[in-house]
Every structure is written in C-alpha cells, then in structure tokens.
Amino acid sequence: MSAASRRPRTRSPWAELRNSTIHGRGLYASKAIPAGTKIIEYLGERITKAESERREELRLEKAQRGDGDGCVYIFELNKRHDLDGSMAWNTARLINHSCEGNCESSKVRGRIWIKAMRDIAEGEELTFDYGFGVESWRSHPCRCGTAKCVGYIVAKTQRWRVRKHLRADARRVTRKT
Ligand SMILES: C[S@@+](CC[C@H](N)C(=O)[O-])C[C@H]1O[C@@H](n2cnc3c(N)ncnc32)[C@H](O)[C@@H]1O
Ligand SMILES: [Zn+2]
C-alpha cells in the first residue's frame, strides 16, 4: 500500500458518511449548515487534460468489462488541468448527484470546495449537480428522487435535451402499440 493511499480520510466539521438512499454511500449534514458555507474541499491529483482523457478511457473500458466501480471522479480545474479525486481519502468524492442539489462545487483560487447553496438541515444528504454532458446520458440513470429529476444524471442546462429524447422515445412506443 502506498503512503498516499494510507492518508487519512478528509474530514469536515459539517458532514458525515452514511449509507445513501440515492446510491451507495453519501455525505450527510451532521448539523444545520448555513447557506454559503464551504463544507468540504474536493481533493485529488492535479492532472493534464491528456492524462484526464487517458484515465477516462481506462475507466470506460473497465466499466464495459464490469470491472471497477464505474464512478466518475474527475473534476475540471481549468482549460489545461483536471483534478482526479478517486483516492479513497477524498471524502468529498462520495457526494451523490441530485437534479435539485443543495450544494454546488465552487472553484476558489485553484481549489474546489463543496459549498451549501441554501440552508441545509441536520440529517439532509448533501448533493450537487455533477454537470455531466449529454453525450452518454443513457449510461447514467439518476435516482435522486426529487420533483425535478429528469431520470438521468445530466447538467441542468442540458436536461431539456434529455426530455426531448424521452418524448421522442415515448412517441415511438405509442406508434408501435
Ligand atoms: C463519485 S460516486 C458517488 C459516491 C457513491 N454513492 C459511492 O458510494 O461510491 C459517483 C457515482 O455514484 C452514483 N450516483 C451518484 N449520484 C447518483 C444519482 N443521483 N443516481 C444514481 N446514481 C448516482 C453513480 O454511479 C456515480 O457514477
Ligand atoms: Zn435526478
């Protein structure tokens, strides 16, 4: 085991790990969190875009083989660099997506913070919009269960495209029956 993988899990005075009703494990508010609070930093390895693409391809290959957890942990830092937060000690990596999240990721001087978008009650699961593109939307079903859920993990700005595809699917099914 390398020294990096032995690093202790990052902690937050605002959040704790629990089994999630959305997926696997998630992060929950351990006390009431005021809007605007920096809850936890999203940490990881700073990598170039080329390395980021290489790792994403590897992840997809593994997922196709049914190997690995299939999770996406890469965050965009700027035009040249991304942050790979897949390390077990990066507790923020366990925050799930929601189509109506209570947190947002915020870049502050080259660091990524998970911030409260509104007041969050003790015991609420912390979630944010993963901001996934629309390209492979069918591979990422969403189980956030909110009223605004489009059924797939896709950035808020792209959800209208998914809704359009779903309406077309529904029309095709109606024509066949
Ligand atoms: C970075 S992990 C989040 C932590 C994850 N819950 C775990 O226990 O490892 C991201 C993965 O969690 C799952 N996930 C996150 N949000 C989800 C959601 N709203 N609906 C369904 N799956 C979700 C997806 O498999 C996604 O690729
Ligand atoms: Zn959703």
Side-chain angles (χ1 to χ4, degrees):
M1 194 192 273
S2 71
S5 59
R6 275 201 307 268
R7 191 174 154 166
R9 236 183 233 298
T10 48
R11 287 176 175 273
S12 161
W14 301 101
E16 62 193 23
L17 268 181
R18 288 194 207 159
N19 289 332
S20 165
T21 51
I22 299 176
H23 174 272
R25 284 176 305 165
L27 227 58
Y28 284 76
S30 53
K31 54 182 153 184
I33 307 177
T37 303
K38 280 184 189 163
I39 299 172
I40 191 167
E41 186 173 358
Y42 194 96
L43 291 164
E45 185 186 355
R46 186 185 165 96
I47 53 174
T48 61
K49 292 282 177 195
E51 176 60 12
S52 180
E53 275 165 32
R54 193 188 69 82
R55 291 187 189 186
E56 176 60 7
E57 272 166 31
L58 265 178
R59 186 191 72 79
L60 288 171
E61 278 169 25
K62 274 184 157 188
Q64 272 161 9
R65 287 200 305 267
D67 187 8
D69 63 8
C71 294
V72 179
Y73 298 106
I74 292 183
F75 243 97
E76 180 166 60
L77 270 181
N78 54 45
K79 280 186 189 154
R80 296 176 59 195
H81 290 99
D82 286 344
L83 193 76
D84 181 355
S86 56
M87 304 77 200
W89 46 264
N90 173 33
T91 306
R93 84 192 202 288
L94 294 170
I95 300 176
N96 283 317
H97 162 95
S98 171
C99 299
E100 210 173 344
N102 48 20
C103 294
E104 62 187 342
S105 62
S106 171
K107 279 175 235 170
V108 185
R109 288 186 288 280
R111 294 165 71 173
I112 296 173
W113 287 91
I114 304 301
K115 276 173 65 177
M117 286 171 76
R118 57 164 171 81
D119 292 345
I120 300 173
E122 178 179 346
E124 267 190 73
E125 177 161 2
L126 304 179
T127 55
F128 66 94
D129 181 349
Y130 279 11
F132 283 5
V134 79
E135 308 77 35
S136 53
W137 61 279
R138 287 188 204 266
S139 317
H140 303 287
C142 182
R143 297 189 187 89
C144 76
T146 64
K148 290 194 178 154
C149 185
V150 72
Y152 294 88
I153 303 179
V154 175
K156 188 175 183 180
T157 54
Q158 301 297 314
R159 285 183 208 145
W160 65 273
R161 294 184 201 275
V162 170
R163 286 196 191 92
K164 201 170 144 186
H165 283 296
L166 292 172
R167 280 197 301 272
D169 287 354
R171 277 197 299 274
R172 270 194 291 276
V173 171
T174 323
R175 260 184 255 126
K176 276 188 198 152
T177 51

